[in-house]
Amino acid sequence: MPPVKYQRGEMVMGRWPGSSLYYEVKVLGFDSKSESYTVIYKDGTELELMEQDIKSTAGFLSRSRSRSRSPGRRRSGSRSPSRTTRGSSRKSTALGVAASTDAAPSSVKDSKMKDFEEDMLKTNANVEPTPDRNQHRYNLRRRRDDSEKKERKPNLQEDSNRNTVVSGDASTPLDFGGKIGAYFWLLFLPAWVLFMILQGDLEDPSLVNAPPPLPSLDSLWDYQSFGFVVLWIVFQALLYILPVGKLSEGMPLRTGERLKYRTNGFFALMVTALAVAIAVHEGVDLTYVYNNFLQLAVAAFLISVLLSCYCYGHSRNANSEQLALGGNSGNVAYDFFKGRELNPRIKNFDLKFFCEMRPGLIGWCLINFAMAVTEMKLHNLDSPSCSMILVNLFQLLYVLDGLWNEEAILTTMDLMHDGFGFMLAFGDLVWVPFTYTLQAFYLVNHPNPLSPPAAAAIVLLKLIGFYIFRKSNSEKNTFRKNPSDSKLSCMRTIPTATGKSLLTSGWWGVVRHPNYLGDLIMALSWSLPCGFSHILPWYYMIYFIILLVHRESRDMSECKRKYGSAWDEYCQTVPYRIIPWVY
Ligand SMILES: NC(=O)C1=CN([C@@H]2O[C@H](COP(=O)(O)OP(=O)(O)OC[C@H]3O[C@@H](n4cnc5c(N)ncnc54)[C@H](OP(=O)(O)O)[C@@H]3O)[C@@H](O)[C@H]2O)C=CC1
Ligand SMILES: CC(C)=CCC[C@@H](C)[C@H]1CC=C2C3=C(CC[C@@]21C)[C@@]1(C)CC[C@H](O)C(C)(C)[C@@H]1CC3
């Protein structure tokens, strides 16, 4: 049995799960089975922390003094953890700012708490003061009360049976149907892409039709297609590593460290467009993409499998701080699917960021363009059809916007929380370029003439969706990068114990995911140009509703875990999730 480092009653610094902030806590006990300490925060919040998430108060204070900044302060610049854009300035402790007892639930202020508060006052006397404008706000949520505590002690084995992961410092429920779900998705996703591509080739494509006959294995594999996909990825990788464009900092990791990312996506798209224009001018025939769509998709699939295997292997050398919460269940299939490591890198080359923003996203535009060229050739047109132009322009705008605001991806769920495994590798390299292009693929053989008023109405819809999407993403991104940005000075916020605040006005005060709302309206405008004859071009809309509803609920659980009662307060203030008055 390992020696117990911290004793019952001892005052220590405990890390707040999912953040790099440390708060003063009192050790209540040690569980030898799970090797975790039960600690109590100042308001009575009890958590189980692993030894690596605890530091002795003395060592911590002298270290933070010598650097003159606590982890919380390092993380949020000169701002104290729970500072927000409003409220009055007060003095508080740098390390215990969130642990003000003013607003703690009265039920937790028992005698144990009184002793504890006295202890805290003594400890706080040694802590360097930091101005805090929201000391009166208190958001740590009491996780369990004493009666619950008696019933349940943390146990790794027990948690894994319950479909939860004990990963470093938090119990994270397994997503996507857990371990069985992972096997299902690993088989279903590639099969579904194959099915849709085969459907798109049929004269009467309908997702409710019987599956088309399976092609022979021989016809799926093509050396040339494989070579082209490899070349494409290498070309994009070269553009990514060029020392051109800004080096942006990611959000702080659990260690407090911030990774750097080369955000030159827009430049990469411009260079690619130039290269494609030169290639077409030199006689390269883009109808190859349409004619070999399936073989190209299979090649991309194989590469995504190899990449996921590499990432899984790579994660074996990662330490617990580098693992994603939730991708570390111990079940090979689940971890392979979900991704174990948060930011797998080869030196400074960030695999997740690169895959999400470059080969698939830029590939999506190239494939759409190739479909427009094919339509013109097949139907002897001087220019692509109106529907094809709309689909191409709408989706190009979406990608251009994503790459122009590439830095904003650093505050998205994928970059901040998800590991990089099969789900994202396949999603980025296969799903995005070969299924998001199905509308253009469909239009090649299924023309849908549009009247000018219909086209104008669709354009208007796209612009409305785009406006909501862009405004809301920019609001959140600006706020996350610099909460005191003057552009946001009139915004209302809710402070949380982790030091971050939540916006409750602007678009984030309308619904909890205004960016999803805008995205869904845009998705509608991408399907409308294809008409209502078949369901295939509507696949994106259907998939996207499912994806975003699931993503929203994943984000809800994650935010509830991170922000506790502050999140509950946000949900009360902003009751609708995505669509006002509907959902
Ligand atoms: N086309 C496609 O296939 C897809 C597109 N998307 C788009 O990508 C974009 C990013 O989506 P996604 O990463 O899922 O989610 P978000 O960009 O909405 O990020 C969610 C995070 O935002 C923060 N947050 C939540 N509420 C607030 C608030 N009130 N104030 C401030 N911060 C808040 C939280 O993180 P924290 O507090 O830790 O900062 C939360 O975890 C969206 O526009 C989405 O539509 C997404 C998936 C697929
Ligand atoms: C079914 C399956 C394998 C799903 C995996 C999901 C991924 C396809 C998506 C998860 C989040 C994504 C984002 C974009 C593309 C799709 C994936 C990778 C995105 C890059 C598209 C462009 C946007 O402007 C965006 C940058 C906001 C967006 C970020 C999320």
Side-chain angles (χ1 to χ4, degrees):
M1 202 179 87
V4 181
K5 192 167 169 189
Y6 304 105
Q7 304 307 319
R8 193 181 151 75
E10 195 177 333
M11 302 295 297
V12 291
M13 302 306 297
R15 189 167 66 165
W16 182 255
S19 82
S20 57
L21 297 173
Y22 283 78
Y23 298 90
E24 286 151 312
V25 293
K26 186 174 187 172
V27 176
L28 292 183
F30 178 74
D31 185 82
S32 51
K33 261 198 212 152
S34 62
E35 291 179 21
S36 66
Y37 290 86
T38 304
V39 298
I40 183 165
Y41 290 74
K42 216 175 170 184
D43 70 329
T45 301
E46 283 179 29
L47 289 179
E48 268 83 44
L49 296 185
M50 306 302 284
E51 192 176 300
Q52 70 257 30
D53 296 318
I54 301 181
K55 299 197 188 310
S56 81
T57 317
F60 194 90
L61 289 178
S62 62
R63 232 190 35 225
S64 64
R65 274 230 187 84
S66 66
R67 290 189 203 149
S68 89
R69 296 183 111 194
S70 69
R73 294 181 68 208
R74 244 183 291 138
R75 182 182 177 181
S76 50
S78 62
R79 298 167 69 84
S80 64
S82 59
R83 235 179 115 179
T84 70
T85 49
R86 65 189 172 129
S88 63
S89 187
R90 289 213 206 163
K91 290 263 174 191
S92 173
T93 60
L95 308 167
V97 278
S100 151
T101 51
D102 290 3
S106 55
S107 60
V108 301
K109 289 190 173 178
D110 51 16
S111 59
K112 184 171 70 176
M113 285 308 297
K114 279 196 192 118
D115 292 351
F116 180 52
E117 281 167 17
E118 276 163 26
D119 284 350
M120 278 301 201
L121 283 174
K122 281 178 216 151
T123 319
N124 286 348
N126 296 324
V127 180
E128 96 191 275
T130 291
D132 173 32
R133 289 192 277 161
N134 282 284
Q135 196 192 9
H136 62 287
R137 298 302 306 262
Y138 186 76
N139 288 295
L140 284 185
R141 189 166 53 101
R142 189 171 154 83
R143 297 270 157 122
R144 290 183 292 125
D145 60 33
D146 282 352
S147 57
E148 279 172 291
K149 193 181 84 190
K150 270 177 215 136
E151 281 161 23
R152 191 170 173 274
K153 276 267 156 202
N155 177 324
L156 223 145
Q157 188 55 43
E158 177 190 288
D159 276 347
S160 93
N161 291 340
R162 282 180 195 198
N163 249 5
T164 62
V165 189
V166 175
S167 167
D169 58 0
S171 295
T172 315
L174 296 192
D175 258 319
F176 302 101
K179 294 159 193 173
I180 306 289
Y183 286 106
F184 170 78
W185 293 115
L186 284 170
L187 297 173
F188 173 78
L189 289 174
W192 183 246
V193 175
L194 179 70
F195 171 71
M196 279 193 299
I197 294 178
L198 293 176
Q199 282 286 342
D201 254 350
L202 297 179
E203 223 161 79
D204 178 23
S206 165
L207 299 186
V208 286
N209 279 352
L214 268 183
S216 67
L217 272 185
D218 250 14
S219 66
L220 293 178
W221 170 255
D222 175 42
Y223 279 105
Q224 205 180 30
S225 300
F226 187 80
F228 281 137
V229 177
V230 172
L231 262 181
W232 174 254
I233 295 175
V234 170
F235 177 57
Q236 291 303 326
L238 287 176
L239 294 178
Y240 174 59
I241 57 173
L242 279 184
V244 177
K246 203 172 153 194
L247 260 188
S248 306
E249 275 196 330
M251 297 307 282
L253 302 173
R254 266 175 280 156
T255 50
E257 189 197 350
R258 298 175 84 134
L259 296 176
K260 290 209 163 49
Y261 298 84
R262 175 75 63 192
T263 44
N264 60 2
F266 196 77
F267 159 80
L269 181 68
M270 292 301 127
V271 176
T272 308
L274 189 68
V276 171
I278 295 172
V280 172
H281 184 260
E282 292 302 309
V284 170
D285 182 10
L286 283 184
T287 57
Y288 178 90
V289 176
Y290 176 78
N291 296 326
N292 296 274
F293 200 50
L294 189 58
Q295 291 74 10
L296 290 167
V298 170
F301 166 67
L302 292 177
I303 293 170
S304 74
V305 172
L306 291 177
L307 182 62
S308 319
C309 292
Y310 172 80
C311 288
Y312 188 82
H314 194 267
S315 72
R316 295 264 146 216
N317 302 324
N319 62 42
S320 65
E321 306 255 290
Q322 293 167 322
L323 296 180
L325 290 179
N328 187 18
S329 69
N331 178 278
V332 177
Y334 183 83
D335 295 347
F336 176 79
F337 176 73
K338 190 86 198 298
R340 293 186 80 232
E341 200 174 341
L342 190 56
N343 303 297
R345 284 186 160 209
I346 303 170
K347 297 215 164 141
N348 284 334
F349 193 100
D350 192 285
L351 291 168
K352 185 165 67 171
F353 179 79
F354 168 73
C355 288
E356 184 137 342
M357 295 310 288
R358 304 306 171 77
L361 218 52
I362 301 178
W364 176 7
C365 298
L366 176 62
I367 293 175
N368 270 354
F369 180 61
M371 296 303 159
V373 171
T374 311
E375 187 200 43
M376 283 166 63
K377 281 213 169 153
L378 274 183
H379 304 285
N380 285 323
L381 303 172
D382 292 333
S383 68
S385 66
C386 176
S387 310
M388 183 64 99
I389 292 176
L390 288 189
V391 167
N392 258 267
L393 286 184
F394 289 172
Q395 299 186 348
L396 179 65
L397 174 66
Y398 188 66
V399 174
L400 277 174
D401 171 80
L403 294 172
W404 182 260
N405 297 290
E406 200 173 22
E407 217 179 17
I409 187 121
L410 303 175
T411 62
T412 61
M413 272 167 69
D414 312 61
L415 263 286
M416 290 195 310
H417 310 303
D418 289 342
F420 189 56
F422 179 80
M423 183 181 81
L424 278 183
F426 176 83
D428 297 339
L429 300 181
V430 186
W431 193 264
V432 170
F434 294 97
T435 74
Y436 287 23
T437 48
L438 279 177
Q439 281 131 346
F441 184 64
Y442 168 86
L443 283 174
V444 172
N445 267 327
H446 306 87
N448 182 52
L450 280 181
S451 66
I458 296 173
V459 171
L460 184 67
L461 189 72
K462 163 76 188 180
L463 293 179
I464 294 173
F466 181 68
Y467 177 78
I468 301 175
F469 171 82
R470 176 65 4 249
K471 276 293 267 186
S472 52
N473 273 327
S474 298
E475 268 176 12
K476 187 196 69 173
N477 194 43
T478 310
F479 183 64
R480 279 287 170 257
K481 269 191 351 208
N482 178 15
S484 46
D485 193 304
S486 57
K487 277 183 251 156
L488 304 167
S489 56
C490 53
M491 291 281 197
R492 284 191 303 278
T493 59
I494 296 180
T496 78
T498 65
K500 285 180 177 177
S501 300
L502 295 166
L503 286 166
T504 56
S505 63
W507 282 102
W508 295 84
V510 178
V511 282
R512 285 181 230 154
H513 264 107
N515 47 357
Y516 290 2
L517 174 66
D519 224 338
L520 278 172
I521 297 174
M522 284 195 282
L524 181 62
S525 75
W526 300 354
S527 294
L528 284 171
C530 305
F532 299 96
S533 319
H534 297 294
I535 197 172
L536 191 81
W538 288 88
Y539 128 84
Y540 180 77
M541 185 73 206
I542 299 165
Y543 140 80
F544 209 44
I545 293 175
I546 300 170
L547 177 96
L548 293 185
V549 166
H550 177 248
R551 219 170 150 86
E552 204 279 336
S553 77
R554 271 206 304 147
D555 194 39
M556 272 281 287
S557 330
E558 177 61 24
C559 288
K560 210 167 156 58
R561 185 187 70 75
K562 269 187 297 191
Y563 301 132
S565 62
W567 185 254
D568 293 336
E569 194 183 328
Y570 177 58
C571 294
Q572 269 171 6
T573 317
V574 185
Y576 292 100
R577 294 159 184 252
I578 302 178
I579 307 176
W581 301 290
V582 177
Y583 177 74

